[in-house]
Amino acid sequence: MHSSARFLIEFGAIILALGLLGRFAARFQFSPIPLYLLAGLAFGEGGLLPLGTSEEFVAIGAEIGVILLLLMLGLEYSASDLVSNLKTQYTAGLVDAALNALPGAAMALLLGWGPVAAVVLAGVTWISSSGVIAKVLGDLGRLGNRETPVILSVLVLEDLSMAVYLPIITALLAGTGLAAGSLTLAVALGAAALVLLVAVRYGRHISRFVSSDDPEKLLLVVLGLTLLVAGLAQQLQVSAAVGAFLVGIALSGEAAEGAHNLLSPLRDLFAAVFFVFFGLHTDPASIPPVLLPALALAVVTAGTKIATGYWAARRAGISAKGRWRAGGTLVARGEFSIVIAGLAVTSGIEPSLGPLATAYVLILVIVGPLTARYTEPLATRLTGRRRKPAVASDTADSGLESVAEEPHEVGQ
């Protein structure tokens, strides 16, 4: 009875603290992710108030948090949208992967962590935070801008690539051989292709089967189906997160919209628990030794993300200001970088990888909204100084284009 009371007190204190931190972040209009990570550092080993009885439950909640994050991500996209993006924007995805994954891999090799850690850190630096970026676009009133579809296309390709990437690192971290790893990847790719095919052809029937006018029944069916598929995927060494992502893709229409509305609060709760759990496994004393590499990596990959967005927007015919805005918006890293690093932390391949990933995400989740807001005006000012004689004529020639193409430019 005493341990039960202690568990309730500990877990209640965690949830209350997360709620207060979330309200604080909302008040000052920035992402709560860094505060959740800091809370985990405070509650973990070496922190101010180490947990005791509730840590095991927090671990289960964290796993559910990852599953719900990927499910909600899948609900955002239909199978036809994914297929269309693959056909039209795959080159942008390849440029994104090359520019942003390679610095992470190079840093891991320079630190002497080995090839497996290099693959993991490549994923940490590659994937932008869809959640943070979506919020920033809404806060800045840029959802109607011409560059926004380019940004979303890059994010969609990154998210879809996780269906391939996660099984690879799962096999590598498990230490399976080449044959077993190849089999795991083949199963993952086959499952993803099968789900896309079924979703394109029979998505309406699946959604009709899942859909219900009763919110309680819809919630139970979708959540139960997701956890079941995630568990089966994990049993096949594919990745529970990939299974949840594929369930989200398979649902569409009213079923997807209803499930999204019902599951959003659960997603936010368990995702916050996940960030706390990641922080719990990071000793605050281990962060200062990796702070300099994390800062260097943040500076380099902020620049490569800006270059990625600029190139993709230029390829789509967006004007110069829109290109800079697209690049600056993509800088933020967050939830999926932590998901990838979390897999490595639990496998124990490299003790310093978790602290470095924590510091890296803390830096870019704070800097990301700032680059989204200020990259374009700063770049415009710098390029304007270099080309002073052409400023007046350039403005006169492109003024109508800017107004027509970028309706939210004024006042930003």
Side-chain angles (χ1 to χ4, degrees):
M1 193 69 178
H2 176 70
S3 61
S4 175
R6 186 176 177 183
F7 162 76
L8 292 174
I9 292 171
E10 281 190 359
F11 193 65
I14 292 172
I15 299 300
L16 177 61
L18 293 178
L20 294 175
L21 290 173
R23 289 173 63 177
F24 178 82
R27 183 180 181 86
F28 293 95
Q29 296 186 337
F30 66 91
S31 169
I33 292 175
L35 298 183
Y36 295 157
L37 287 171
L38 291 173
L41 293 173
F43 287 124
E45 294 183 10
L48 300 175
L49 298 169
L51 295 180
T53 58
S54 61
E55 187 170 353
E56 185 176 350
F57 186 81
V58 170
I60 297 172
E63 191 167 355
I64 294 174
V66 174
I67 290 170
L68 290 178
L69 278 170
L70 271 293
L71 169 65
M72 299 295 283
L73 185 64
L75 290 174
E76 296 287 344
Y77 311 123
S78 68
S80 57
D81 290 337
L82 293 178
V83 172
S84 174
N85 272 286
L86 279 174
K87 289 180 179 178
T88 60
Q89 299 292 340
Y90 70 93
T91 51
L94 293 175
V95 170
D96 179 35
L99 289 180
N100 297 287
L102 291 178
M107 177 62 77
L109 294 176
L110 286 173
L111 293 172
W113 290 354
V116 176
V119 175
V120 173
L121 195 56
V124 171
T125 59
W126 173 18
I127 305 294
S128 297
S129 172
S130 301
V132 174
I133 291 171
K135 188 176 187 307
V136 167
L137 287 173
D139 290 344
L140 296 179
R142 295 181 182 174
L143 292 175
N145 281 23
R146 279 201 65 203
E147 74 272 6
T148 299
V150 176
I151 296 169
L152 296 179
S153 293
V154 172
L155 295 177
V156 168
L157 289 169
E158 287 182 351
D159 298 336
L160 185 59
S161 67
M162 291 190 72
V164 178
Y165 175 79
L166 286 177
I168 292 175
I169 62 169
T170 300
L172 290 174
L173 293 172
T176 57
L178 179 62
S182 301
L183 179 61
T184 297
L185 179 58
V187 170
L189 291 175
L194 180 62
V195 168
L196 286 175
L197 179 63
V198 171
V200 168
R201 294 190 176 182
Y202 308 107
R204 292 182 181 179
H205 301 291
I206 297 172
S207 298
R208 192 179 300 121
F209 170 76
V210 171
S211 184
S212 173
D213 294 331
D214 187 336
E216 178 185 351
K217 294 182 177 64
L218 177 62
L219 175 63
L220 292 174
V221 170
V222 173
L223 184 59
L225 178 63
T226 302
L227 294 175
L228 176 62
V229 172
L232 292 173
Q234 191 161 310
Q235 193 70 24
L236 294 172
Q237 299 296 316
V238 172
S239 171
V242 171
F245 180 61
L246 295 177
V247 170
I249 292 174
L251 299 179
S252 60
E254 292 182 3
E257 184 178 351
H260 189 281
N261 294 334
L262 291 171
L263 288 167
S264 290
L266 280 178
R267 186 261 326 259
D268 295 339
L269 168 63
F270 284 105
V273 171
F274 165 73
F275 292 120
V276 170
F277 176 74
F278 186 82
L280 290 176
H281 288 262
T282 304
D283 187 346
S286 64
I287 291 181
V290 297
L291 194 55
L292 191 59
L295 182 60
L297 199 55
V299 171
V300 170
T301 54
T304 53
K305 273 293 181 183
I306 291 173
T308 298
Y310 187 95
W311 182 87
R314 182 180 181 180
R315 183 171 175 267
I318 308 299
S319 65
K321 290 185 176 182
R323 297 171 200 168
W324 288 116
R325 286 200 296 268
T329 304
L330 286 169
V331 167
R333 280 23 170 231
E335 60 273 23
F336 296 113
S337 296
I338 295 298
V339 168
I340 294 166
L343 293 174
V345 169
T346 53
S347 70
I349 61 161
E350 173 53 54
S352 298
L353 200 154
L356 188 144
T358 300
Y360 174 78
V361 170
L362 281 172
I363 294 169
L364 288 186
V365 82
I366 294 171
V367 171
L370 298 178
T371 59
R373 185 183 294 268
Y374 296 113
T375 296
E376 179 262 312
L378 182 60
T380 301
R381 182 175 298 180
L382 291 175
T383 55
R385 287 179 180 176
R386 292 176 183 174
R387 298 181 297 179
K388 278 186 178 179
V391 167
S393 59
D394 285 351
T395 304
D397 291 341
S398 62
L400 292 176
E401 178 189 2
S402 297
V403 172
E405 291 186 356
E406 298 156 16
H408 294 287
E409 184 177 323
V410 177
Q412 293 175 14

